[in-house]
Amino acid sequence: MSTSIGQPVERVDGSRKVTGAARYAAEIPLPGLVYAVLIGSRIPSGRITYIDTSQAERAVGVLAVLTHLNLGPVAEQQPPLMPSLGGGPAPGQTFFPMRDDVIHYPGQHIAVVVADTLERAQHAASLVDVTYAETPSITTIDQGRTQVYDAERIFGGMMPGRVTRGDVEAGLGQADVLVTATYRCAPNHQNPIETSATTAMWDGDLLTLWDGTQGPNATQLTVAAQLGVPLDQVRVIAQFVGGSFGSKAMIWDHPALAALAARHVGRPVRLMLDREQMFYSVGHREEQEQYLALGARSDGRLTAIRHHKLSPTSHFDDWAGISLACSATLYACANYESVYRLIRANTITPSFMRAPGEVEGMFALETAMDELAYELGMDPIELRLVNHADVDPESGNPWSSKGLKECYARGAELFGWAGRDPRPKARREGNLLIGSGMASAFYPVAPVFTPQRARARLYADGRAVVQASFSEFGTGVTTAMTQVAADGLGIVAGAVRLECGDTALPNTVAAVGSAGTAAFSAGVHAAVTALRGELVERAIADVKSPLHGVDPADVDVLDGCMMVRGRPEIGETYGELMRRNHLTDVEMVGSWSPPPPGGGYASATFGAQFAEVAVDQDLGSIRVRRMTGVFAPGRILNRRAAHSQLMGGMLWGIGHALLEATHMDAVQGRWANASLGDYLVPVNADAPDVQIDTVEVEDTVVNPLGVKGVGEIGLVGAGAAIANAVFHATGRRFHQIPITIDDLV
Ligand code: MOS
C-alpha cells in the first residue's frame, strides 16, 4: 500500500542545508587540519625543465611542496577507465599526474602545496618557480583535422565505435528527400556551486576521505586502486554534495593527491579546487562536430540515418560522450550507420556532463528532423509519429515501457501546438519575431551492474533507520528513499531517518546516468521488504500475537500496525510485538541484483519538448518565452523533487542552445573564459514559464518500483526545441550551438 511514494514530500535535509548545518567535503573540522593547493601546468604540451620549490618551502606556515620529484607511492598500474556505473574503480582518466615531467594537457597538476592556512598555501603556490619547454599542441578540432582516427571502442571500452544495420547507402538511395548537415557544439563545463573537494585523514594505515562525489564507493574503489591500498583501509564519507552535473561522476586525481599530501605531512589535509581549476581538472563536455544525413520517403518514413561524430579526446583514453546512441534507437529506420571519430588532443579526458552525448546528439537529430519536416511539408509531430519506433530498432526487442506518443499528445495540448502556422517569420509582435518549436526527448535507462544494498532497522518505539552508502548531491534522493522506506515498512515518512553518504554503510552504485535514485530505490525496497517480512513472520510465529498463525500474504501494515487485510481489529503494532519479545530493534540488510543487461527488453525514457521564443529583429537577442515538457520516466517517487529535476534540465536547455560555451584560446592552449563571470549560464531572469507534466507508464522490468529516472531527460531535446523555434521565428537555421546574438545580427 503506497501512502508516501509519489507524494511531494519536502526535503528531509532542507533545514540542515538552509541553516548551514549540512557539512560538505571542505567543511569538515578536524584537529590539526592543514590546507593543500594544487598547481596546474601553464602550458598544454611539453616538459617541465626546471621546478624550484625552495622559496615556497621557506614561506611561513608551509609544511610541504609535492612535485613529480617527491610525490610518494602511486600504484604502478593505474585502474582502467570505467564509467562509474560499472561498479569498479571509476577514474576520470587513466593518466595519473606528477609521476614524471611530461605535460599532456593544460592545467595538468604539477605540484601540491601544503600549509597551515589556505592563504599561506595559496601564497606559497605563487612562489613555486616552473620553467617549461613547450611543444606544439592540439586543443581544438580545427587544429586536429589531420590527426583523426576511427575509435574502435569508446566509453571505457563499453561502447563500439561503429554501429551499422541494414544498408545505409541503399537507404539514402531510396530516399525522396535528403537532409544533410554538419552540427557543431561548443565545449561546455559543469560548474556546480560546490567546487570539487576532498578532506583526507590517515589513522595509521586507515584512510578516511570526505569527498564531494556522486559515488562514495566509486571514490573508495578508485583511490584504493590509484594508491595501491587495500579496499578495506579506505573509507569515503560524502553525505552532502553541492551539485555536480557529472563533474563528480568520475574520480579524478585530487582525492588521491589529498591522501598523499596528508600522508606526507602526517596531518589531515583539506584540498578544494578553485573555480578556474574546475575548468581543467574534472572533465567537460567535449567540443564536437556531428555529420547527419537523413533520408525519407515523401510520406515521411525514414529510409536511412547516417550519424558521425568528431571530437577531441586525451592522449590516454578514447572518450566520447555517447552522442550517437539516440539516432540508433529513437526512430524506426532499417538502414543506419554511426561512427565515432576522435582526435588525439592536449586535453584532460573529457567526461560526463549532464546527459553526456545525448543532449548534443539530440540537438543534431532533432534539428535535422525539423529540417526534414519542412522539406516534406509535414507537421514535426506528425513526422515523428510516422517514424515512431514500436520496438527498439537496434535490438528488435520490445520496450520495457514507452509512453512517447502520449507525451507528444499531452505536450501539444498543454503548449497549444494545434493550428500553429508553420511558415517561418509568420508571427510578429512589433519588433519581435515569435516562433515555436518542438523536439523529442530520449535518454537510455542506464544498466546497473552491481547489487544494490541497504540496511533497515526498526526500533521498538516505531521509528526506523535506513542506511546505504550513496551521497545526496541535491536531487532529493534522501527524501525519496525515506518515502520508499516508509511505504515498504508501512510507517509514516516522518518515522524514518535516512543515513547515507558513507562507504561504511551498505554498497550502492554511483549516482550517474540518471540511474541513482532508481538503483538505490531497489536496494532500500529490498531492505525494508525483508524487514517487514521478518516482523510479520515473528508475529505469526508468536502464540501471544493476535496474528498468530495468519497467512503472511493476508497481513497489511499501516502506520506501524500489522493487521489482517480487511479485518483491522485483528492486529498489533510492531512495537507491541517487539516489547513483548524483548527486542530493542530488528534489522535486516536487503540486496537487489539487477537483471543482466539485454534480457529481452530495451529500456529508455521518452518525452516531448516545446519552446516558444521571441527574437528581437534589431538586437538579435533571443528570449525563451515559455517551455513545455512532458516526460514518461516511469514511477515518480517524489513529485516535487522530480518536478525540480525536470525543470532544471529544461532550463539548462536554454544554456545549451543559447549561452554555454567554453572558448579555447588555441594559441595559449588554455580556456579563455574559465570563470563564472565569463562562462554564461541561464539565470532566473532568463527563466521563462516552464510547464511540466508526466505521463504514467508502468515498467515492470527496470527495477522493483519501476523507476526510470528524471535526472537528465529534462535537458535532452530542450535545446533542439529552442533552436527549432528560432528557425520558425526567423527563418534562419543554425547548425551550431550556442546560437548567440552575434550569429543573429
Ligand atoms: Mo551524469 S552527467 O551521468 O553524472
Side-chain angles (χ1 to χ4, degrees), residues 84-85 190 214 244-250 351-356 443 473 511-515 712:
S84 33
L85 276 166
Q190 302 94 339
Q214 287 171 243
S244 51
F245 314 114
S247 62
K248 302 165 186 171
M250 307 269 260
S351 186
F352 290 117
M353 178 166 166
R354 203 172 190 181
Y443 192 81
F473 60 102
V512 301
S514 297
E712 296 168 275

Side-chain angles (χ1 to χ4, degrees), residues 593-635:
S593 293
Y601 287 93
S603 291
T605 305
F606 298 92
Q609 304 264 18
F610 297 80
E612 181 178 287
V613 302
V615 181
D616 187 304
Q617 286 195 95
D618 300 324
L619 301 178
S621 57
I622 305 169
R623 298 287 300 183
V624 179
R625 297 224 288 198
R626 56 194 184 96
M627 301 177 85
T628 299
V630 181
F631 309 95
R635 179 89 68 102

Side-chain angles (χ1 to χ4, degrees), residues 124-139:
S126 73
L127 302 175
V128 173
D129 185 15
V130 189
T131 307
Y132 303 96
E134 189 170 349
T135 51
S137 60
I138 293 172
T139 51

